[in-house]
Amino acid sequence: QQQVKQSPQSLIVQKGGISIINCAYENTAFDYFPWYQQFPGKGPALLIAIRPDVSEKKEGRFTISFNKSAKQFSLHIMDSQPGDSATYFCAASKGGNSGYALNFGKGTSLLVTP
Amino acid sequence: KAGVTQTPRYLIKTRGQQVTLSCSPISGHRSVSWYQQTPGQGLQFLFEYFSETQRNKGNFPGRFSGRQFSNSRSEMNVSTLELGDSALYLCASSLDGSTYGYTFGSGTRLTVV
C-alpha cells in the first residue's frame, strides 16, 4: 500500500506566487523526509530534506514544514518561477545505512505560468 | 565528478523477451538501488545492493533480478517481459546504502511491445 500520500496531483501557480505541496505518512519509524524534483527525461534530484527533530527547514526559496504529531510534511516554494515547473515527489525512509528504501508519494506536477 | 550513469537510455523489447539494464554508480559509492517509475504506480523500490550483496528487496516478482559487481557497477535483469513492465527504470547510488546520500541516474526507458 502507498506509505506516503501526496497532494495535489497537479498545481498551477502564477510567477511570484507560493506553491504548496502536502504529504502524509503512516510509518512512525520513518526518520528521513526528502523532496525530489524531476524534469522530463531526467532522474529525480534531491531538493531539500528534513529529519523529524526539527519542524522547519529552509534553503533559499524552498521550505519544508514538518508536523510529527500529525505525520505530515509539506514543501513551500516561495516566489515560484517558470523554471520551477517540474514534478515534485515527497519521500520517506528509515535512517541508517542498511539499504532501506525510499517510499515515494505519487508526485505533483507543478506548472508556473509567466 | 561523474554522476550515476545508466545504459542504455532507451530500449524497445518484445513481450516474452528478457532485458538487462546497467548502472554505474558515482565513484566510491558502494550501494546501488533500483526503482521502477510508471505513471500509475509512481516510483517503486526494486532492490538494493551493497558490496555485491542484495540487502533489501521490494515487492516485485522473481522475473526481476539484479546483481552487483566488485567495482560496484550493477545490472538489473527482467525476464519474460510483460507489457506492464514498460517503465522508466532508475538507479540510485550512495556511499553506504543510506538514503541520505542518494543520487539518481537519468534512467532507462523500457518499452515492451
Side-chain angles (χ1 to χ4, degrees), chain B residues 24-99:
Chain B
S24 293
I26 290 173
S27 178
H29 283 194
R30 296 169 63 190
S31 168
V32 173
S33 298
W34 289 88
Y35 288 78
Q36 181 196 63
Q37 184 175 21
T38 59
Q41 298 301 317
L43 285 139
Q44 293 187 291
F45 174 75
L46 282 154
F47 27 65
E48 188 261 359
Y49 286 88
F50 181 83
S51 293
E52 303 179 64
T53 300
Q54 185 184 91
R55 297 194 299 179
N56 198 1
K57 189 178 190 303
N59 189 25
F60 277 82
R63 300 184 297 106
F64 292 82
S65 63
R67 59 178 175 167
Q68 187 181 33
F69 302 94
S70 58
N71 62 357
S72 294
R73 190 178 71 86
S74 177
E75 288 183 347
M76 187 192 117
N77 184 275
V78 188
S79 62
T80 319
L81 284 165
E82 300 177 0
L83 296 179
D85 297 333
S86 295
L88 180 66
Y89 290 89
L90 294 157
C91 83
S93 78
S94 73
L95 195 63
D96 57 3
S98 165
T99 55

Side-chain angles (χ1 to χ4, degrees), chain A residues 13-32:
Chain A
V13 172
Q14 280 196 324
K15 179 182 175 181
I18 302 173
S19 304
I20 302 174
I21 306 171
N22 300 298
C23 284
Y25 65 98
E26 288 297 324
N27 191 339
T28 55
F30 290 153
D31 68 354
Y32 175 64

Side-chain angles (χ1 to χ4, degrees), chain A residues 2 31-32 36 38 41-44 46 51 89 93-102 104-106, chain B residues 9 33 35 37 40-43 45 48 55-56 88 90 96-102 104-107:
Chain A
Q2 195 77 21
D31 68 354
Y32 175 64
Y36 282 83
Q38 186 177 28
K42 299 289 188 182
L46 179 64
R51 304 279 193 98
F89 294 93
S93 77
K94 297 179 187 178
N97 57 0
S98 298
Y100 293 120
L102 270 175
F104 285 90
K106 290 214 168 179
Chain B
R9 287 298 311 276
S33 298
Y35 288 78
Q37 184 175 21
Q41 298 301 317
L43 285 139
F45 174 75
E48 188 261 359
R55 297 194 299 179
N56 198 1
L88 180 66
L90 294 157
D96 57 3
S98 165
T99 55
Y100 308 152
Y102 258 27
F104 281 90
S106 292

